[in-house]
Amino acid sequence: MKRVFIIICATVSAACSVKEQPIPENIELAMKPGMIIEATTSQGKITISYVDTLTRQYSWDGITKTFKHQPREKRWYGSLGMYRPVGDGTMHAVLEEGQQHFSTVQEAYLWIKGRERFVDCVWTKDGLVMGWRHQSRPGDGYLALSAEVWQVFVNGRKANLARGASGSNVRISFERP
């Protein structure tokens, strides 16, 4: 019985270890080293901080969580960025970051409108789009967080999204190294 337990634990331990993935050279991210985004939507205020290439720290309502993301190996709904489809055992999380490329500004606005089914969005006039939503599950209060950061491009340049831009609702700063 003791040997079986040891074998099972060794197998489970090996299966649960996280293997470091190489960071693809062509990954398309929105945030830069040291970047901090503070965004205020109808959900309240969230702060997202760059920790390293694939890691971000999320702070809202007195909660701070740090998550390592997975790089996308293939485009998924236009993105070749990174994502995290699970939480940390204390909450559920769906997190994304990347770039979105469009041919026209009108296409970009339609895409933002489509995102608003999932998250409350705000954006800067140079096309940095931030959306988030949090909620607690009725009954047990289990938290769920959805957060997205996108840099929108039109014809290879940062998009001019002046219409509807939320300059006062999005603040970007950089930590000094």
Side-chain angles (χ1 to χ4, degrees):
M1 184 77 146
K2 209 172 195 180
R3 283 188 208 161
V4 172
F5 180 74
I6 292 171
I7 291 170
I8 290 171
C9 284
T11 302
V12 169
S13 176
C16 292
S17 66
V18 177
K19 183 179 179 185
E20 283 293 316
Q21 291 183 320
I23 299 169
E25 288 182 26
N26 60 343
I27 193 168
E28 298 174 348
L29 299 178
M31 294 184 73
K32 307 289 183 216
M35 191 174 194
I36 300 168
I37 301 171
E38 292 180 2
T40 303
T41 70
S42 63
Q43 292 282 297
K45 180 176 151 184
I46 188 168
T47 302
I48 302 176
S49 303
Y50 181 105
V51 176
D52 65 35
T53 304
L54 297 177
T55 308
R56 303 291 181 264
Q57 183 180 73
Y58 300 81
S59 299
W60 74 101
D61 289 346
I63 300 168
T64 298
K65 297 282 187 176
T66 302
F67 291 107
K68 186 158 189 103
H69 297 66
Q70 297 175 318
R72 291 207 183 275
E73 295 178 14
K74 296 179 185 173
R75 287 202 184 275
W76 190 77
Y77 289 102
S79 176
L80 191 58
M82 64 180 189
Y83 69 106
R84 178 157 178 123
V86 297
D88 63 0
T90 65
M91 64 176 290
H92 178 69
V94 177
L95 312 169
E96 293 196 69
E97 180 185 324
Q99 298 176 6
Q100 292 291 331
H101 296 265
F102 301 99
S103 298
T104 67
V105 171
Q106 291 75 21
E107 288 176 357
Y109 281 122
L110 285 172
W111 176 82
I112 291 170
K113 186 75 170 160
R115 297 310 312 144
E116 290 180 333
R117 294 181 316 169
F118 308 106
V119 293
D120 293 337
C121 293
V122 291
W123 58 92
T124 62
K125 67 180 182 175
D126 67 347
L128 183 69
V129 178
M130 170 49 210
W132 78 293
R133 177 167 292 149
H134 68 108
Q135 57 194 19
S136 297
R137 187 165 57 194
D140 64 4
Y142 194 74
L143 290 175
L145 172 67
S146 295
E148 304 179 359
V149 177
W150 303 103
Q151 180 61 61
V152 175
F153 290 85
V154 173
N155 291 322
R157 295 178 176 230
K158 286 185 178 181
N160 180 353
L161 300 179
R163 183 179 47 128
S166 314
S168 63
N169 290 336
V170 182
R171 203 173 113 225
I172 299 167
S173 61
F174 286 86
E175 285 183 346
R176 292 189 174 161

